[in-house]
């Protein structure tokens, strides 16, 4: 789940052929040749590195569901935008002129864009879209370049914890802790109250959880200190140089999820555990 596992699933379309265990996008004037093997070799970026390099504040992958594009993965989206984002296929495709796959527009150029992002007051005026395939569109609040797309293809999507780095940080600091956060009740309550009625609530529940996961991986911890679970929960290792009271950490997390879950953030379930020995960390994550 998440942008960091997106590569093999997203960069596919009706023009693909299979050869020697690899999927190749047939080369044409509009789409560069892409080999899925780059996602498993020659690690270039964690997603946080990618975001930092291009100074991206807001990023998303939109997925075609029926006749509408919805938010599949995102970073920097508020909950209201995610649960109300259902843009007609023909509307979103209309921004790509002259068979181009990349389009940069002003957010006021199209009524459907202004409406879709109406709750995101700090969104920049210039927005970029890239048609990855007929079913997926990349979005960000800065210009999408060929180099950005090249780097995006090489994001490490292994989703493996880096225990060596975790142990190094733990051994240097005895104030570290491990945390389990259950979002299921909070997300379902928020979505049932706010989601668009024209699509399945499950779509928006998954999208909200992905936004939360991406924030934790990028803003709360090293990318490889965070593990997503299938029950809408996260497990984190949080290194700390000071002994943070549990109440302070809980308040901080809830405050920073308010723009996603509103008051529903207050019903997330958080368990914080102090670490007695480093072996406890791996036991906790397994």
């Amino acid at each position: 789940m998440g942008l960091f596992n997106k590569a093999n699933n997203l960069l596919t379309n009706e023009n693909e052929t299979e050869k020697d265990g690899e999927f190749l996008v047939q080369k044409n004037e509009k789409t560069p040749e892409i080999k899925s093997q780059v996602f498993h070799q020659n690690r270039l970026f964690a997603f946080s590195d990618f975001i930092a390099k291009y100074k991206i504040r807001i990023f998303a992958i939109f997925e075609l569901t029926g006749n509408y594009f919805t938010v599949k993965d995102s970073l920097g989206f508020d909950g209201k935008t995610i649960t109300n984002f259902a843009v007609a296929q023909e509307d979103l495709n209309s921004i790509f002129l002259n068979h181009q796959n990349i389009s940069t527009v002003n957010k006021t150029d199209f009524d459907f864009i202004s409406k879709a992002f109406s709750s995101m007051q700090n969104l920049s005026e210039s927005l970029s879209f890239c048609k990855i395939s007929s079913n997926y569109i990349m979005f960000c609040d800065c210009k999408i370049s060929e180099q950005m797309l090249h780097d995006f293809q090489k994001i490490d999507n292994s989703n493996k914890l880096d225990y060596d780095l975790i142990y190094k940080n733990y051994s240097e600091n005895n104030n570290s802790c491990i945390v389990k956060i259950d979002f299921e009740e909070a997300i379902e309550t928020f979505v049932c109250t706010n989601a668009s009625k024209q699509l399945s609530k499950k779509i928006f529940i998954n999208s909200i959880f992905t936004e939360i996961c991406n924030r934790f991986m990028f803003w709360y911890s090293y990318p490889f200190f965070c593990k997503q679970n299938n029950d809408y929960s996260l497990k984190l290792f949080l290194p700390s140089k000071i002994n943070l009271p549990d109440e302070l950490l809980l308040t901080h997390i809830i405050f920073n999820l308010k723009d996603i879950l509103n008051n529903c953030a207050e019903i997330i379930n958080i368990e914080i555990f102090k670490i007695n020995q480093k072996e406890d960390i791996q036991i906790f994550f397994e």
Side-chain angles (χ1 to χ4, degrees):
M1 183 177 290
L3 284 167
F4 324 110
N5 294 320
K6 52 87 190 112
N8 286 328
N9 293 327
L10 299 189
L11 291 174
T12 60
N13 62 32
E14 63 276 6
N15 292 324
E16 289 186 352
T17 58
E18 186 176 359
K19 179 181 179 181
D20 296 330
E22 299 173 359
F23 287 95
L24 307 181
V25 177
Q26 293 179 350
K27 194 171 184 179
N28 55 51
E29 293 181 357
K30 295 183 291 183
T31 308
E33 181 178 292
I34 301 171
K35 295 185 179 182
S36 65
Q37 65 179 2
V38 301
F39 307 131
H40 303 287
Q41 300 174 8
N42 305 320
R43 175 181 178 270
L44 177 63
F45 288 127
F47 182 67
S48 56
D49 299 325
F50 174 78
I51 291 294
K53 177 177 179 178
Y54 293 101
K55 298 180 174 61
I56 299 171
R57 295 187 308 112
I58 297 172
F59 189 90
I61 296 293
F62 302 140
E63 179 181 31
L64 185 62
T65 306
N67 295 319
Y68 296 92
F69 276 100
T70 60
V71 178
K72 179 177 177 62
D73 291 316
S74 63
L75 178 68
F77 275 50
D78 61 78
K80 184 176 180 181
T81 299
I82 294 173
T83 52
N84 286 278
F85 193 99
V87 176
Q89 178 182 11
E90 59 183 21
D91 285 340
L92 199 50
N93 282 331
S94 69
I95 69 174
F96 298 100
L97 303 175
N98 302 320
H99 305 290
Q100 297 297 312
N101 280 347
I102 298 177
S103 178
T104 300
V105 301
N106 190 292
K107 67 180 181 180
T108 59
D109 288 346
F110 297 87
D111 289 341
F112 70 87
I113 293 179
S114 299
K115 182 179 179 180
F117 296 109
S118 61
S119 66
M120 297 178 67
Q121 302 301 320
N122 296 324
L123 191 64
S124 64
E125 293 296 320
S126 181
L127 307 174
S128 290
F129 300 80
C130 176
K131 186 181 293 186
I132 298 176
S133 76
S134 59
N135 293 327
Y136 295 97
I137 291 175
M138 177 194 295
F139 164 84
C140 72
D141 62 346
C142 64
K143 187 175 181 180
I144 297 175
S145 65
E146 291 296 332
Q147 183 60 49
M148 181 188 291
L149 292 174
H150 177 74
D151 289 343
F152 181 68
Q153 295 169 28
K154 292 188 176 180
I155 292 174
D156 185 337
N157 66 326
S158 60
N159 198 31
K160 292 181 180 179
L161 297 170
D162 189 335
Y163 285 111
D164 290 338
L165 186 58
I166 289 175
Y167 290 158
K168 179 181 179 182
N169 278 268
Y170 169 71
S171 63
E172 294 174 352
N173 177 6
N174 290 325
N175 291 314
S176 301
C177 61
I178 47 181
V179 183
K180 182 178 180 181
I181 313 176
D182 186 343
F183 300 98
E184 184 172 12
E185 182 181 2
I187 294 174
E188 288 186 352
T189 303
F190 177 82
V191 168
C192 287
T193 305
N194 295 278
S196 168
K197 303 298 187 294
Q198 55 196 340
L199 294 170
S200 168
K201 289 183 175 62
K202 189 72 171 180
I203 294 172
F204 300 112
I205 290 172
N206 290 337
S207 298
I208 290 282
F209 182 57
T210 300
E211 167 71 32
I212 291 171
C213 291
N214 292 343
R215 290 193 184 196
F216 272 87
M217 289 186 184
F218 184 57
W219 290 337
Y220 278 88
S221 66
Y222 287 100
F224 303 124
F225 286 12
C226 179
K227 182 179 180 181
Q228 305 168 46
N229 298 310
N230 294 328
D231 59 351
Y232 299 106
S233 69
L234 283 177
K235 289 182 178 180
L236 306 171
F237 168 74
L238 295 181
S240 176
K241 294 182 179 181
I242 59 174
N243 187 15
L244 293 174
D246 290 357
E247 295 78 8
L248 179 61
L249 179 58
L250 174 62
T251 301
H252 179 73
I253 291 174
I254 291 174
F255 177 80
N256 283 282
L257 294 178
K258 282 281 190 178
D259 68 317
I260 305 180
L261 297 172
N262 294 342
N263 291 334
C264 296
E266 297 176 2
I267 59 175
I268 63 175
N269 182 37
I270 301 179
E271 298 177 88
I272 303 170
F273 308 94
K274 299 302 180 182
I275 305 167
N276 296 317
Q277 53 187 1
K278 68 178 184 180
E279 288 75 17
D280 293 339
I281 299 173
Q282 189 164 353
I283 294 172
F284 171 73
F285 280 112
E286 291 178 348

